[in-house]
Amino acid sequence: MTIRILPAIGDPDAARAVSSLLNQLPDAEPAPTVADSAALLDALAGAAAQGAAASSAAGPPSAVEALPEVVLVHERIGPTPALELIREVALRFPAVGVVLITTDAGPALFSAAMDAGARGVVGLPLGYDELAARVQAAAQWSAGVRVHLGGSPEAAPGPAGTLVTVTGAKGGVGTTVTAVQLALAARAAGRSVALVDLDLQSGDVASYLDVQFRRSVVDLAGIADISVRVLQDAVHDHHTGLGLLLAPEEGERGEEVDDRAARQIIGALRSRYEVVLVDCGSQMQSANAAAVELADVALLVTTPDVVAVRAAKRQVRLWDRLQIRQAEDTTTVVNRLTRNTEIQPPLVAKATGTQVARTHVPAAFKELQPCVDAGRMQDLDGRSTVRQALWALAGELGLVESPAVRQGRGSHRARPTLTGRKRKAITPGAAPGSGPGQGPASGSASGAGLGMRFGARRGSAAAAGGSGPFDPAGPYEEG
């Protein structure tokens, strides 16, 4: 969003200093400086009248949209005193965010400025970071007011980037590999991507991408207003084009990142990147719980075994109890799937109550091992079935434009199996492979077929359709 700024500064030296800093702000469009209060009010009134006359059909919203988002008022402005001028601007032009520039930034003046209607106070001598933070905050507030006044929806404040979180049902299910490959796929599609490691005690994004960087997410935790420059200092620009915000080297420092800090950091990243991917690990803390709550897409990675599926079920129930996220708003990714796996995706969906991604990741660790050992996941061969599956998943999630997903090749019915063979149906009341019917894409047929398998091995109760001791959807029982 372009921020239009109108400075009202009577002191020529201060005006030159402010203009120099405003020209360095990203997405800023500073107007020529006005020298007194009368010129400021006339400029605002003229902009409002010009906007109203531009489109009679739009009416008042056009007048609002023509006004600058931010007005800077110097303490020495005249002839009207600065606080009185701020009060008049706030009353006549409520969609404009006013920032006071003053040498006295003490609590008394700050309180008086807020009472007058200012949206921020900047102390002299001016600093780039403080000025940028106050201008951006005032601009976001102004955009929100314009939406409520009936202005253009494109002026809506807040983050614009897509937030995707990747959480593991348990450790070792492939959470970081999934997050890294999704980020690489989105970057290859030409989108600006930030990859955040919120597995604060044992994050491995740096190891998977061969990065040594002294800054981490902890360095942003204690900052009240994260400016563009501060964010750039903390984010590592990887040669793949990814922006990396890493977990701390000292795991105990992860406690410094609470939910408030996580929300602020993610908001700052979403305002600068088109896609923000967060590796949340498998242990829920306040920081990654806040990320999951804010996510546009929340992925839960599991492997098709009883222990991992039960862990996924616990994770989903935990999110529901803490009111972080509902099961139906969660997408489960089945990793390391093989043709002979007893637990197929429909049973995972039934056990967890979540949606299961159409794209499943095959079990092919031999393809990954050289890149994992070398710490260069970005060098994974394009012919790798794991990479192809994860990049197809990125297309399914809308992170990249994927013709394969649009044509439906992500489903079982439209694409070959992991081994290239046709799938055989498992129907209720028949032995596996005994006749034609629906394949594993059918949840009821798959669940019944798995019940028959478990029943044949573990007892008549499971064979009769009941929950056997290895049924992930059922309660815990001793075998």
Side-chain angles (χ1 to χ4, degrees):
M1 179 182 78
T2 301
I3 303 174
R4 294 166 295 179
I5 306 171
L6 178 58
I9 303 172
D11 185 353
D13 294 334
R16 283 192 295 269
V18 170
S19 297
S20 176
L21 288 176
L22 291 179
N23 288 327
Q24 301 177 35
L25 296 181
D27 303 325
E29 188 180 294
T33 303
V34 295
D36 55 53
S37 58
L40 172 63
L41 295 174
D42 289 344
L44 293 175
Q50 183 179 2
S55 175
S56 57
S62 296
V64 170
E65 290 304 317
L67 291 168
E69 283 78 19
V70 180
V71 168
L72 301 179
V73 175
H74 190 264
E75 63 179 354
R76 291 187 179 180
I77 196 71
T80 305
L83 292 180
E84 292 184 19
L85 178 61
I86 292 173
R87 185 175 290 106
E88 185 169 357
V89 170
L91 290 173
R92 291 179 58 183
F93 310 99
V96 175
V98 184
V99 176
L100 175 65
I101 301 176
T102 177
T103 54
D104 179 16
L109 182 62
F110 182 86
S111 178
M114 294 300 105
D115 291 341
R119 302 310 306 172
V121 176
V122 180
L124 290 170
L126 289 174
Y128 174 88
D129 290 341
E130 185 180 8
L131 180 62
R134 297 293 173 262
V135 166
Q136 289 177 356
Q140 287 188 355
W141 175 87
S142 173
V145 171
R146 293 171 194 224
V147 171
H148 290 293
L149 290 177
S152 172
E154 286 125 10
T162 301
L163 175 61
V164 180
T165 58
V166 186
T167 307
K170 58 185 289 294
V173 296
T175 308
T176 303
V177 171
T178 301
V180 169
Q181 287 298 324
L182 289 178
L184 291 171
R187 184 69 192 104
R191 308 184 73 179
S192 58
V193 182
L195 177 58
V196 186
D197 196 346
L198 277 186
D199 188 1
L200 296 173
Q201 293 186 347
S202 54
D204 285 323
V205 168
S207 299
Y208 276 93
L209 292 174
D210 191 23
V211 174
Q212 293 182 349
F213 190 59
R214 62 187 182 89
R215 300 283 187 185
S216 73
V217 66
V218 173
D219 294 303
L220 298 177
I223 300 177
D225 292 306
I226 301 176
S227 67
V228 176
R229 182 170 295 180
V230 170
L231 191 63
Q232 289 174 344
D233 289 341
V235 174
H236 173 71
D237 293 325
H238 196 253
H239 65 83
T240 58
L242 299 178
L244 304 180
L245 186 56
L246 305 172
E249 283 288 336
E250 304 84 6
E252 65 274 11
R253 295 196 63 195
E255 297 179 357
E256 300 176 28
V257 185
D258 56 11
D259 58 336
R260 182 202 60 80
R263 292 174 188 275
Q264 188 173 12
I265 293 168
I266 290 172
L269 289 170
R270 294 180 76 179
S271 67
R272 303 300 301 172
Y273 293 90
E274 295 177 84
V275 177
V276 179
L277 267 150
V278 182
D279 179 0
C280 293
S282 59
Q283 298 296 322
M284 277 292 101
Q285 300 168 338
S286 59
N288 48 24
V292 172
E293 183 180 2
L294 295 172
D296 299 305
V297 179
L299 298 180
L300 181 61
V301 181
T302 185
T303 49
D305 57 84
V306 172
V307 174
V309 174
R310 283 180 170 171
K313 187 177 179 180
R314 287 197 303 269
Q315 190 77 274
V316 170
R317 287 178 172 177
L318 173 65
W319 290 351
D320 184 64
R321 288 196 304 272
L322 298 179
Q323 297 182 351
I324 296 172
R325 200 170 195 88
Q326 296 181 346
E328 55 268 25
D329 296 329
T330 304
T331 302
T332 300
V333 178
V334 181
N335 189 24
R336 300 176 195 155
L337 184 66
T338 65
R339 177 175 175 270
N340 298 321
T341 302
E342 295 283 357
I343 299 178
Q344 291 293 320
L347 188 55
V348 175
K350 179 182 177 182
T352 61
T354 63
Q355 307 175 46
V356 174
R358 296 190 305 271
T359 306
H360 315 306
V361 185
F365 183 70
K366 288 184 179 179
E367 300 174 359
L368 296 174
Q369 189 166 10
C371 296
V372 171
D373 292 342
R376 296 184 61 83
M377 189 55 60
Q378 67 272 19
D379 294 339
L380 185 61
D381 196 324
R383 295 170 296 180
S384 164
T385 57
V386 175
R387 172 176 155 161
Q388 289 177 1
L390 289 173
W391 285 41
L393 176 63
E396 181 181 337
L397 300 175
L399 302 181
V400 300
E401 191 71 14
S402 175
V405 172
R406 289 200 308 269
Q407 296 170 8
R409 291 208 298 264
S411 66
H412 289 315
R413 204 177 285 273
R415 67 183 175 90
T417 62
L418 299 173
T419 60
R421 300 179 181 179
K422 292 184 177 179
R423 298 179 181 269
K424 295 182 179 180
I426 302 175
T427 57
S434 62
Q438 290 185 341
S442 171
S444 59
S446 172
L450 287 172
M452 294 294 291
R453 292 186 187 182
F454 287 132
R457 297 183 181 182
R458 293 290 174 182
S460 58
S467 297
F470 285 84
D471 181 6
Y476 292 89
E477 298 179 11
E478 295 294 336

